Amino acid sequence: MDVTVFTGRINYTNKESYKNFNKNRRYVNILKHHCGNKELEHYITYSPENFIITTRYEHAMKADGTTSHTMTDGITGRYSRKQLEDCFMKHISAIKNWKAEIHRLPLKNPPEEKIDIRMNFWKFIAGKIKNIKNTCKKKISM
């Protein structure tokens, strides 16, 4: 049996949004199931006139110097339940593509284990060069 852990953070911008959106818990469960992890944080604003969902993605520093990205979708004015569902599902599918694009950007600094391997390699090479220089000096002085 699979155990699914939902760690995505979903925040409501105010108490009214929470009260109004509480009847749509099915969407929250869908959002947590498809886009729930420690790096993603979702903000929902919900009223009869506005629906706005914003997702913030925090990651390691990329080559362009960014550590987080945000994506916002929403509906303004009166909307139907079908429009709300379409907007929500569009946002979920967009998150997956958006996150994949961000992962393609190179990291500013490589992970520590790669640095250690490179530094050990160059220390090894420097040690060998030093040994060669010392043996050459000994041969010349003889």
Side-chain angles (χ1 to χ4, degrees):
M1 183 169 138
D2 267 347
V3 176
T4 306
V5 178
F6 301 120
T7 57
R9 293 172 279 181
I10 297 178
N11 303 310
Y12 296 92
T13 55
N14 53 31
K15 287 182 181 180
E16 291 174 18
S17 292
Y18 176 75
K19 288 178 186 176
N20 293 335
F21 203 73
N22 200 26
K23 58 188 167 218
N24 297 316
R25 293 295 298 173
R26 179 173 70 96
Y27 297 123
V28 172
N29 291 337
I30 291 170
L31 183 65
K32 283 184 175 183
H33 180 72
H34 291 287
C35 306
N37 64 34
K38 293 177 184 175
E39 299 149 341
L40 293 174
E41 199 166 351
H42 308 283
Y43 298 92
I44 295 175
T45 302
Y46 182 78
S47 68
E49 293 83 28
N50 294 318
F51 170 72
I52 300 169
I53 182 167
T54 302
T55 300
R56 183 168 183 247
Y57 177 49
E58 294 181 22
H59 51 76
M61 186 176 287
K62 297 291 183 175
D64 60 357
T66 59
T67 58
S68 67
H69 287 80
T70 57
M71 181 177 65
T72 302
D73 282 321
I75 306 169
T76 56
R78 292 281 181 181
Y79 52 88
S80 68
R81 195 161 185 79
K82 177 71 175 147
Q83 289 173 317
L84 174 69
E85 186 175 340
D86 290 344
C87 179
F88 209 82
M89 293 305 180
K90 184 183 86 170
H91 186 75
I92 289 172
S93 64
I95 287 172
K96 293 177 183 179
N97 297 332
W98 173 67
K99 191 175 170 191
E101 286 178 25
I102 293 170
H103 280 296
R104 284 190 213 125
L105 293 173
L107 291 172
K108 186 166 188 143
N109 299 319
E112 291 297 321
E113 59 269 1
K114 289 186 180 179
I115 291 174
D116 291 342
I117 291 169
R118 289 178 190 158
M119 291 305 294
N120 289 339
F121 173 74
W122 289 114
K123 285 179 185 176
F124 173 76
I125 297 297
K128 290 294 182 184
I129 292 172
K130 190 175 182 181
N131 287 343
I132 293 170
K133 284 182 181 179
N134 288 340
T135 54
C136 288
K137 283 182 185 177
K138 286 180 185 177
K139 288 183 179 181
I140 292 174
S141 63
M142 289 183 168

CSV table of all heavy atoms in Angstrom, one decimal, residues 15-71:
chain,number,residue,atom,x,y,z
A,15,LYS,N,-9.1,35.6,6.3
A,15,LYS,CA,-10.1,34.7,6.9
A,15,LYS,C,-11.3,34.4,5.9
A,15,LYS,O,-11.8,33.3,5.9
A,15,LYS,CB,-10.6,35.1,8.2
A,15,LYS,CG,-9.5,35.0,9.3
A,15,LYS,CD,-10.1,35.5,10.6
A,15,LYS,CE,-9.0,35.4,11.7
A,15,LYS,NZ,-9.5,35.8,13.0
A,16,GLU,N,-11.7,35.5,5.2
A,16,GLU,CA,-12.8,35.4,4.3
A,16,GLU,C,-12.5,34.4,3.2
A,16,GLU,O,-13.4,33.6,2.8
A,16,GLU,CB,-13.2,36.7,3.8
A,16,GLU,CG,-13.8,37.7,4.8
A,16,GLU,CD,-14.1,39.0,4.2
A,16,GLU,OE1,-14.1,39.2,3.0
A,16,GLU,OE2,-14.2,40.0,5.0
A,17,SER,N,-11.3,34.4,2.7
A,17,SER,CA,-10.9,33.5,1.6
A,17,SER,C,-11.0,32.1,2.2
A,17,SER,O,-11.4,31.2,1.5
A,17,SER,CB,-9.5,33.8,1.2
A,17,SER,OG,-9.5,35.0,0.5
A,18,TYR,N,-10.5,31.8,3.4
A,18,TYR,CA,-10.6,30.5,4.0
A,18,TYR,C,-12.0,30.0,4.1
A,18,TYR,O,-12.4,28.9,3.7
A,18,TYR,CB,-9.9,30.5,5.3
A,18,TYR,CG,-9.9,29.1,6.0
A,18,TYR,CD1,-9.2,28.0,5.5
A,18,TYR,CD2,-10.8,28.9,7.0
A,18,TYR,CE1,-9.3,26.8,6.1
A,18,TYR,CE2,-10.9,27.7,7.6
A,18,TYR,CZ,-10.1,26.6,7.2
A,18,TYR,OH,-10.2,25.4,7.8
A,19,LYS,N,-12.9,30.9,4.7
A,19,LYS,CA,-14.3,30.5,4.9
A,19,LYS,C,-15.0,30.3,3.5
A,19,LYS,O,-15.7,29.3,3.4
A,19,LYS,CB,-15.0,31.7,5.6
A,19,LYS,CG,-14.6,31.7,7.1
A,19,LYS,CD,-15.4,32.9,7.7
A,19,LYS,CE,-14.9,33.1,9.1
A,19,LYS,NZ,-15.5,34.3,9.8
A,20,ASN,N,-14.7,31.1,2.5
A,20,ASN,CA,-15.4,31.0,1.2
A,20,ASN,C,-14.9,29.7,0.5
A,20,ASN,O,-15.6,29.1,-0.2
A,20,ASN,CB,-15.2,32.2,0.4
A,20,ASN,CG,-15.9,33.4,1.0
A,20,ASN,OD1,-16.9,33.3,1.7
A,20,ASN,ND2,-15.4,34.6,0.6
A,21,PHE,N,-13.6,29.5,0.6
A,21,PHE,CA,-13.0,28.4,-0.2
A,21,PHE,C,-13.1,27.0,0.5
A,21,PHE,O,-12.9,26.0,-0.1
A,21,PHE,CB,-11.5,28.7,-0.5
A,21,PHE,CG,-11.0,27.9,-1.7
A,21,PHE,CD1,-11.4,28.3,-3.0
A,21,PHE,CD2,-10.2,26.8,-1.5
A,21,PHE,CE1,-10.9,27.6,-4.1
A,21,PHE,CE2,-9.7,26.1,-2.6
A,21,PHE,CZ,-10.1,26.5,-3.9
A,22,ASN,N,-13.5,27.0,1.8
A,22,ASN,CA,-13.6,25.8,2.5
A,22,ASN,C,-14.6,24.8,1.9
A,22,ASN,O,-14.4,23.6,2.0
A,22,ASN,CB,-14.0,26.1,4.0
A,22,ASN,CG,-13.7,24.9,4.9
A,22,ASN,OD1,-12.8,24.2,4.6
A,22,ASN,ND2,-14.4,24.8,6.0
A,23,LYS,N,-15.6,25.3,1.2
A,23,LYS,CA,-16.5,24.4,0.5
A,23,LYS,C,-15.9,23.7,-0.7
A,23,LYS,O,-16.5,22.8,-1.3
A,23,LYS,CB,-17.8,25.1,0.2
A,23,LYS,CG,-17.6,26.3,-0.7
A,23,LYS,CD,-18.9,27.1,-0.9
A,23,LYS,CE,-18.6,28.4,-1.5
A,23,LYS,NZ,-19.4,29.5,-1.0
A,24,ASN,N,-14.8,24.2,-1.2
A,24,ASN,CA,-14.0,23.6,-2.3
A,24,ASN,C,-12.8,22.9,-1.9
A,24,ASN,O,-11.8,22.9,-2.5
A,24,ASN,CB,-13.6,24.8,-3.3
A,24,ASN,CG,-14.8,25.5,-3.8
A,24,ASN,OD1,-15.8,24.8,-4.2
A,24,ASN,ND2,-14.8,26.8,-3.9
A,25,ARG,N,-12.9,22.1,-0.8
A,25,ARG,CA,-11.7,21.4,-0.3
A,25,ARG,C,-11.2,20.4,-1.3
A,25,ARG,O,-10.1,20.0,-1.2
A,25,ARG,CB,-12.1,20.7,1.0
A,25,ARG,CG,-12.4,21.6,2.2
A,25,ARG,CD,-11.3,22.4,2.7
A,25,ARG,NE,-10.2,21.5,3.1
A,25,ARG,CZ,-9.0,22.0,3.5
A,25,ARG,NH1,-8.7,23.2,3.4
A,25,ARG,NH2,-8.1,21.2,3.9
A,26,ARG,N,-12.1,19.9,-2.2
A,26,ARG,CA,-11.6,19.0,-3.2
A,26,ARG,C,-10.5,19.5,-4.0
A,26,ARG,O,-9.5,18.8,-4.3
A,26,ARG,CB,-12.8,18.6,-4.1
A,26,ARG,CG,-12.6,17.7,-5.2
A,26,ARG,CD,-13.8,17.3,-5.9
A,26,ARG,NE,-14.4,18.4,-6.7
A,26,ARG,CZ,-14.2,18.6,-8.0
A,26,ARG,NH1,-13.5,17.7,-8.6
A,26,ARG,NH2,-14.7,19.6,-8.6
A,27,TYR,N,-10.6,20.8,-4.3
A,27,TYR,CA,-9.5,21.5,-5.1
A,27,TYR,C,-8.2,21.5,-4.3
A,27,TYR,O,-7.1,21.4,-4.8
A,27,TYR,CB,-9.9,22.9,-5.6
A,27,TYR,CG,-11.1,22.9,-6.5
A,27,TYR,CD1,-12.2,23.6,-6.2
A,27,TYR,CD2,-11.1,22.1,-7.7
A,27,TYR,CE1,-13.3,23.6,-7.0
A,27,TYR,CE2,-12.1,22.1,-8.5
A,27,TYR,CZ,-13.3,22.9,-8.2
A,27,TYR,OH,-14.4,22.8,-9.0
A,28,VAL,N,-8.3,21.8,-3.0
A,28,VAL,CA,-7.1,21.9,-2.2
A,28,VAL,C,-6.5,20.5,-2.1
A,28,VAL,O,-5.2,20.4,-2.2
A,28,VAL,CB,-7.5,22.3,-0.7
A,28,VAL,CG1,-6.3,22.2,0.2
A,28,VAL,CG2,-8.0,23.8,-0.8
A,29,ASN,N,-7.3,19.5,-2.0
A,29,ASN,CA,-6.7,18.1,-2.0
A,29,ASN,C,-6.0,17.8,-3.3
A,29,ASN,O,-4.9,17.2,-3.4
A,29,ASN,CB,-7.8,17.1,-1.7
A,29,ASN,CG,-8.2,17.2,-0.3
A,29,ASN,OD1,-7.5,17.7,0.6
A,29,ASN,ND2,-9.4,16.7,0.0
A,30,ILE,N,-6.6,18.2,-4.4
A,30,ILE,CA,-6.0,18.0,-5.8
A,30,ILE,C,-4.7,18.8,-5.8
A,30,ILE,O,-3.6,18.2,-6.3
A,30,ILE,CB,-6.9,18.5,-6.9
A,30,ILE,CG1,-8.1,17.5,-7.0
A,30,ILE,CG2,-6.2,18.5,-8.2
A,30,ILE,CD1,-9.2,18.0,-7.9
A,31,LEU,N,-4.7,20.0,-5.3
A,31,LEU,CA,-3.4,20.8,-5.4
A,31,LEU,C,-2.4,20.2,-4.5
A,31,LEU,O,-1.2,20.1,-4.9
A,31,LEU,CB,-3.8,22.2,-4.9
A,31,LEU,CG,-2.6,23.2,-4.9
A,31,LEU,CD1,-2.2,23.5,-6.3
A,31,LEU,CD2,-3.0,24.5,-4.2
A,32,LYS,N,-2.7,19.7,-3.3
A,32,LYS,CA,-1.7,19.0,-2.5
A,32,LYS,C,-1.2,17.7,-3.1
A,32,LYS,O,0.0,17.4,-3.0
A,32,LYS,CB,-2.4,18.7,-1.1
A,32,LYS,CG,-2.5,19.9,-0.2
A,32,LYS,CD,-3.0,19.5,1.1
A,32,LYS,CE,-3.0,20.6,2.1
A,32,LYS,NZ,-3.5,20.2,3.5
A,33,HIS,N,-2.1,17.0,-3.7
A,33,HIS,CA,-1.7,15.7,-4.3
A,33,HIS,C,-0.7,15.9,-5.5
A,33,HIS,O,0.3,15.2,-5.6
A,33,HIS,CB,-2.9,15.0,-4.8
A,33,HIS,CG,-2.6,13.6,-5.4
A,33,HIS,ND1,-2.1,12.6,-4.7
A,33,HIS,CD2,-2.6,13.2,-6.7
A,33,HIS,CE1,-1.9,11.6,-5.5
A,33,HIS,NE2,-2.2,11.9,-6.7
A,34,HIS,N,-1.0,16.9,-6.3
A,34,HIS,CA,-0.2,17.1,-7.5
A,34,HIS,C,1.0,18.0,-7.3
A,34,HIS,O,2.0,17.9,-8.0
A,34,HIS,CB,-1.0,17.6,-8.7
A,34,HIS,CG,-2.0,16.6,-9.2
A,34,HIS,ND1,-1.6,15.5,-10.0
A,34,HIS,CD2,-3.4,16.5,-9.0
A,34,HIS,CE1,-2.7,14.8,-10.2
A,34,HIS,NE2,-3.8,15.4,-9.7
A,35,CYS,N,0.9,19.0,-6.4
A,35,CYS,CA,1.9,20.0,-6.3
A,35,CYS,C,2.3,20.2,-4.8
A,35,CYS,O,2.5,21.3,-4.4
A,35,CYS,CB,1.5,21.3,-6.9
A,35,CYS,SG,0.9,21.2,-8.5
A,36,GLY,N,2.4,19.2,-4.0
A,36,GLY,CA,2.7,19.3,-2.6
A,36,GLY,C,4.1,18.9,-2.3
A,36,GLY,O,4.4,17.7,-2.4
A,37,ASN,N,5.0,19.8,-2.0
A,37,ASN,CA,6.3,19.5,-1.5
A,37,ASN,C,6.8,20.7,-0.7
A,37,ASN,O,6.2,21.7,-0.6
A,37,ASN,CB,7.3,19.0,-2.6
A,37,ASN,CG,7.6,20.1,-3.5
A,37,ASN,OD1,7.6,21.3,-3.2
A,37,ASN,ND2,7.8,19.8,-4.8
A,38,LYS,N,7.9,20.5,0.0
A,38,LYS,CA,8.4,21.5,0.9
A,38,LYS,C,8.8,22.8,0.2
A,38,LYS,O,8.9,23.9,0.8
A,38,LYS,CB,9.6,21.0,1.7
A,38,LYS,CG,9.2,19.9,2.6
A,38,LYS,CD,10.4,19.3,3.4
A,38,LYS,CE,10.0,18.2,4.2
A,38,LYS,NZ,11.1,17.5,4.9
A,39,GLU,N,9.1,22.7,-1.1
A,39,GLU,CA,9.6,23.9,-1.8
A,39,GLU,C,8.5,24.8,-2.4
A,39,GLU,O,8.7,25.9,-2.7
A,39,GLU,CB,10.5,23.4,-3.0
A,39,GLU,CG,11.7,22.6,-2.5
A,39,GLU,CD,12.1,21.6,-3.5
A,39,GLU,OE1,11.3,21.2,-4.4
A,39,GLU,OE2,13.3,21.1,-3.4
A,40,LEU,N,7.3,24.2,-2.5
A,40,LEU,CA,6.2,25.0,-3.1
A,40,LEU,C,5.3,25.5,-2.0
A,40,LEU,O,5.0,24.8,-1.0
A,40,LEU,CB,5.3,24.1,-4.0
A,40,LEU,CG,6.0,23.6,-5.3
A,40,LEU,CD1,5.1,22.7,-6.0
A,40,LEU,CD2,6.3,24.8,-6.2
A,41,GLU,N,4.9,26.8,-2.1
A,41,GLU,CA,4.0,27.4,-1.2
A,41,GLU,C,2.9,28.1,-2.0
A,41,GLU,O,3.1,28.8,-3.0
A,41,GLU,CB,4.7,28.5,-0.4
A,41,GLU,CG,4.0,28.9,0.9
A,41,GLU,CD,5.0,29.6,1.8
A,41,GLU,OE1,6.2,29.7,1.6
A,41,GLU,OE2,4.4,30.1,2.8
A,42,HIS,N,1.6,27.8,-1.7
A,42,HIS,CA,0.5,28.3,-2.5
A,42,HIS,C,-0.3,29.3,-1.6
A,42,HIS,O,-0.5,29.1,-0.4
A,42,HIS,CB,-0.5,27.1,-2.8
A,42,HIS,CG,0.2,26.0,-3.5
A,42,HIS,ND1,0.6,26.0,-4.8
A,42,HIS,CD2,0.6,24.8,-3.0
A,42,HIS,CE1,1.2,24.9,-5.1
A,42,HIS,NE2,1.2,24.1,-4.0
A,43,TYR,N,-0.7,30.4,-2.3
A,43,TYR,CA,-1.6,31.4,-1.7
A,43,TYR,C,-2.9,31.5,-2.4
A,43,TYR,O,-2.8,31.7,-3.7
A,43,TYR,CB,-0.8,32.8,-1.7
A,43,TYR,CG,0.5,32.8,-0.9
A,43,TYR,CD1,1.7,32.5,-1.5
A,43,TYR,CD2,0.5,33.0,0.5
A,43,TYR,CE1,2.8,32.4,-0.8
A,43,TYR,CE2,1.6,33.0,1.2
A,43,TYR,CZ,2.8,32.7,0.5
A,43,TYR,OH,4.0,32.7,1.2
A,44,ILE,N,-4.0,31.5,-1.7
A,44,ILE,CA,-5.3,31.5,-2.4
A,44,ILE,C,-6.1,32.7,-1.9
A,44,ILE,O,-6.2,32.9,-0.6
A,44,ILE,CB,-6.1,30.2,-2.1
A,44,ILE,CG1,-5.4,29.0,-2.8
A,44,ILE,CG2,-7.5,30.4,-2.6
A,44,ILE,CD1,-6.0,27.7,-2.5
A,45,THR,N,-6.6,33.5,-2.8
A,45,THR,CA,-7.5,34.6,-2.5
A,45,THR,C,-8.8,34.2,-3.2
A,45,THR,O,-8.8,34.0,-4.4
A,45,THR,CB,-7.0,36.0,-3.0
A,45,THR,OG1,-5.7,36.2,-2.5
A,45,THR,CG2,-8.0,37.1,-2.7
A,46,TYR,N,-9.9,34.1,-2.4
A,46,TYR,CA,-11.1,33.7,-3.0
A,46,TYR,C,-12.3,34.5,-2.4
A,46,TYR,O,-12.5,34.7,-1.2
A,46,TYR,CB,-11.4,32.2,-2.5
A,46,TYR,CG,-12.6,31.6,-3.1
A,46,TYR,CD1,-12.7,31.2,-4.4
A,46,TYR,CD2,-13.8,31.4,-2.3
A,46,TYR,CE1,-13.8,30.6,-4.9
A,46,TYR,CE2,-14.9,30.8,-2.8
A,46,TYR,CZ,-14.9,30.4,-4.1
A,46,TYR,OH,-16.0,29.9,-4.6
A,47,SER,N,-13.0,35.1,-3.3
A,47,SER,CA,-14.2,35.9,-3.0
A,47,SER,C,-15.2,35.7,-4.2
A,47,SER,O,-14.8,35.2,-5.3
A,47,SER,CB,-13.9,37.3,-2.8
A,47,SER,OG,-13.5,38.0,-3.9
A,48,PRO,N,-16.4,36.1,-4.1
A,48,PRO,CA,-17.3,36.0,-5.2
A,48,PRO,C,-16.9,36.7,-6.5
A,48,PRO,O,-17.3,36.4,-7.6
A,48,PRO,CB,-18.7,36.5,-4.7
A,48,PRO,CG,-18.6,36.3,-3.2
A,48,PRO,CD,-17.1,36.5,-2.9
A,49,GLU,N,-16.1,37.8,-6.3
A,49,GLU,CA,-15.6,38.6,-7.5
A,49,GLU,C,-14.2,38.2,-8.0
A,49,GLU,O,-13.9,38.6,-9.1
A,49,GLU,CB,-15.7,40.1,-7.1
A,49,GLU,CG,-17.1,40.6,-6.9
A,49,GLU,CD,-17.6,40.4,-5.5
A,49,GLU,OE1,-16.7,40.3,-4.6
A,49,GLU,OE2,-18.8,40.2,-5.3
A,50,ASN,N,-13.4,37.6,-7.1
A,50,ASN,CA,-12.0,37.4,-7.5
A,50,ASN,C,-11.6,36.0,-7.0
A,50,ASN,O,-11.9,35.6,-5.9
A,50,ASN,CB,-11.1,38.4,-6.8
A,50,ASN,CG,-11.3,39.8,-7.3
A,50,ASN,OD1,-11.4,40.0,-8.5
A,50,ASN,ND2,-11.3,40.7,-6.4
A,51,PHE,N,-10.8,35.3,-7.8
A,51,PHE,CA,-10.1,34.1,-7.5
A,51,PHE,C,-8.7,34.2,-8.0
A,51,PHE,O,-8.5,34.4,-9.1
A,51,PHE,CB,-10.8,32.9,-8.1
A,51,PHE,CG,-10.0,31.6,-7.9
A,51,PHE,CD1,-9.8,31.1,-6.6
A,51,PHE,CD2,-9.2,31.1,-8.9
A,51,PHE,CE1,-9.1,29.9,-6.4
A,51,PHE,CE2,-8.5,29.9,-8.7
A,51,PHE,CZ,-8.4,29.4,-7.5
A,52,ILE,N,-7.7,34.2,-7.0
A,52,ILE,CA,-6.3,34.4,-7.4
A,52,ILE,C,-5.6,33.3,-6.7
A,52,ILE,O,-5.7,33.1,-5.5
A,52,ILE,CB,-5.8,35.7,-7.0
A,52,ILE,CG1,-6.6,36.8,-7.7
A,52,ILE,CG2,-4.3,35.8,-7.3
A,52,ILE,CD1,-6.3,38.2,-7.2
A,53,ILE,N,-4.8,32.5,-7.4
A,53,ILE,CA,-3.9,31.5,-6.8
A,53,ILE,C,-2.5,31.8,-7.2
A,53,ILE,O,-2.2,32.0,-8.4
A,53,ILE,CB,-4.3,30.1,-7.2
A,53,ILE,CG1,-3.4,29.1,-6.5
A,53,ILE,CG2,-4.3,29.9,-8.7
A,53,ILE,CD1,-3.9,27.7,-6.6
A,54,THR,N,-1.6,31.9,-6.2
A,54,THR,CA,-0.2,32.2,-6.5
A,54,THR,C,0.6,31.1,-5.9
A,54,THR,O,0.4,30.7,-4.8
A,54,THR,CB,0.2,33.5,-5.8
A,54,THR,OG1,-0.6,34.6,-6.3
A,54,THR,CG2,1.6,33.9,-6.0
A,55,THR,N,1.6,30.6,-6.7
A,55,THR,CA,2.5,29.6,-6.2
A,55,THR,C,3.9,30.1,-6.2
A,55,THR,O,4.4,30.8,-7.1
A,55,THR,CB,2.4,28.4,-7.1
A,55,THR,OG1,1.1,27.9,-7.1
A,55,THR,CG2,3.4,27.3,-6.7
A,56,ARG,N,4.6,29.9,-5.1
A,56,ARG,CA,6.0,30.4,-4.9
A,56,ARG,C,6.8,29.1,-4.8
A,56,ARG,O,6.5,28.2,-4.0
A,56,ARG,CB,6.1,31.2,-3.6
A,56,ARG,CG,7.4,31.8,-3.4
A,56,ARG,CD,7.4,32.8,-2.3
A,56,ARG,NE,8.7,33.4,-2.1
A,56,ARG,CZ,9.4,33.3,-1.1
A,56,ARG,NH1,9.0,32.6,-0.1
A,56,ARG,NH2,10.6,33.8,-1.0
A,57,TYR,N,7.9,29.1,-5.5
A,57,TYR,CA,8.8,28.0,-5.5
A,57,TYR,C,10.2,28.5,-5.1
A,57,TYR,O,10.8,29.3,-5.7
A,57,TYR,CB,8.9,27.4,-6.9
A,57,TYR,CG,9.9,26.3,-7.1
A,57,TYR,CD1,9.9,25.2,-6.2
A,57,TYR,CD2,10.8,26.2,-8.1
A,57,TYR,CE1,10.8,24.1,-6.4
A,57,TYR,CE2,11.7,25.2,-8.3
A,57,TYR,CZ,11.7,24.1,-7.4
A,57,TYR,OH,12.6,23.1,-7.5
A,58,GLU,N,10.7,27.9,-3.9
A,58,GLU,CA,12.0,28.2,-3.4
A,58,GLU,C,13.0,27.1,-3.8
A,58,GLU,O,12.7,26.0,-3.7
A,58,GLU,CB,11.9,28.4,-1.9
A,58,GLU,CG,11.1,29.6,-1.4
A,58,GLU,CD,11.1,29.7,0.1
A,58,GLU,OE1,12.0,29.2,0.7
A,58,GLU,OE2,10.1,30.3,0.6
A,59,HIS,N,14.2,27.5,-4.2
A,59,HIS,CA,15.2,26.6,-4.6
A,59,HIS,C,16.6,27.1,-4.3
A,59,HIS,O,16.7,28.2,-3.9
A,59,HIS,CB,15.0,26.3,-6.1
A,59,HIS,CG,15.0,27.5,-7.0
A,59,HIS,ND1,16.1,28.3,-7.3
A,59,HIS,CD2,13.9,28.2,-7.5
A,59,HIS,CE1,15.7,29.3,-8.0
A,59,HIS,NE2,14.4,29.3,-8.2
A,60,ALA,N,17.6,26.3,-4.6
A,60,ALA,CA,19.0,26.8,-4.5
A,60,ALA,C,19.2,27.9,-5.5
A,60,ALA,O,18.6,28.0,-6.5
A,60,ALA,CB,19.9,25.6,-4.7
A,61,MET,N,20.2,28.7,-5.2
A,61,MET,CA,20.5,29.8,-6.0
A,61,MET,C,21.0,29.4,-7.4
A,61,MET,O,21.8,28.5,-7.6
A,61,MET,CB,21.6,30.7,-5.4
A,61,MET,CG,21.9,32.0,-6.2
A,61,MET,SD,23.1,33.1,-5.5
A,61,MET,CE,22.2,33.7,-4.1
A,62,LYS,N,20.3,30.0,-8.4
A,62,LYS,CA,20.6,29.6,-9.8
A,62,LYS,C,21.6,30.6,-10.3
A,62,LYS,O,22.0,31.5,-9.7
A,62,LYS,CB,19.3,29.7,-10.6
A,62,LYS,CG,18.2,28.7,-10.2
A,62,LYS,CD,18.6,27.3,-10.5
A,62,LYS,CE,17.5,26.3,-10.2
A,62,LYS,NZ,17.9,25.0,-10.6
A,63,ALA,N,22.1,30.3,-11.5
A,63,ALA,CA,23.2,31.1,-12.2
A,63,ALA,C,22.8,32.6,-12.3
A,63,ALA,O,23.6,33.5,-12.3
A,63,ALA,CB,23.5,30.5,-13.5
A,64,ASP,N,21.5,32.9,-12.5
A,64,ASP,CA,21.0,34.3,-12.6
A,64,ASP,C,20.9,34.9,-11.3
A,64,ASP,O,20.5,36.1,-11.2
A,64,ASP,CB,19.7,34.3,-13.4
A,64,ASP,CG,18.6,33.6,-12.8
A,64,ASP,OD1,18.8,32.9,-11.8
A,64,ASP,OD2,17.5,33.6,-13.4
A,65,GLY,N,21.1,34.3,-10.1
A,65,GLY,CA,21.1,34.9,-8.8
A,65,GLY,C,19.7,34.7,-8.1
A,65,GLY,O,19.6,35.2,-7.0
A,66,THR,N,18.8,34.1,-8.7
A,66,THR,CA,17.4,33.9,-8.1
A,66,THR,C,17.4,32.7,-7.2
A,66,THR,O,18.1,31.7,-7.4
A,66,THR,CB,16.3,33.8,-9.1
A,66,THR,OG1,16.6,32.6,-9.9
A,66,THR,CG2,16.2,35.0,-10.0
A,67,THR,N,16.6,32.9,-6.1
A,67,THR,CA,16.4,31.8,-5.2
A,67,THR,C,14.9,31.4,-5.1
A,67,THR,O,14.6,30.4,-4.4
A,67,THR,CB,16.9,32.1,-3.8
A,67,THR,OG1,16.2,33.3,-3.3
A,67,THR,CG2,18.4,32.3,-3.7
A,68,SER,N,14.0,32.1,-5.7
A,68,SER,CA,12.6,31.8,-5.7
A,68,SER,C,11.9,32.3,-7.0
A,68,SER,O,12.4,33.3,-7.6
A,68,SER,CB,11.9,32.2,-4.5
A,68,SER,OG,11.9,33.6,-4.5
A,69,HIS,N,10.8,31.7,-7.4
A,69,HIS,CA,10.0,32.1,-8.5
A,69,HIS,C,8.6,32.1,-8.0
A,69,HIS,O,8.2,31.3,-7.2
A,69,HIS,CB,10.2,31.2,-9.7
A,69,HIS,CG,11.5,31.3,-10.4
A,69,HIS,ND1,12.6,30.7,-9.9
A,69,HIS,CD2,11.8,32.0,-11.5
A,69,HIS,CE1,13.6,31.0,-10.7
A,69,HIS,NE2,13.2,31.8,-11.7
A,70,THR,N,7.7,33.0,-8.6
A,70,THR,CA,6.3,33.0,-8.3
A,70,THR,C,5.5,32.9,-9.6
A,70,THR,O,6.0,33.4,-10.7
A,70,THR,CB,5.9,34.2,-7.5
A,70,THR,OG1,6.2,35.4,-8.3
A,70,THR,CG2,6.5,34.3,-6.2
A,71,MET,N,4.4,32.3,-9.6
A,71,MET,CA,3.5,32.2,-10.7
A,71,MET,C,2.1,32.4,-10.2
A,71,MET,O,1.7,31.9,-9.2
A,71,MET,CB,3.6,30.8,-11.3
A,71,MET,CG,2.7,30.6,-12.5
A,71,MET,SD,2.8,29.1,-13.4
A,71,MET,CE,2.2,28.0,-12.2
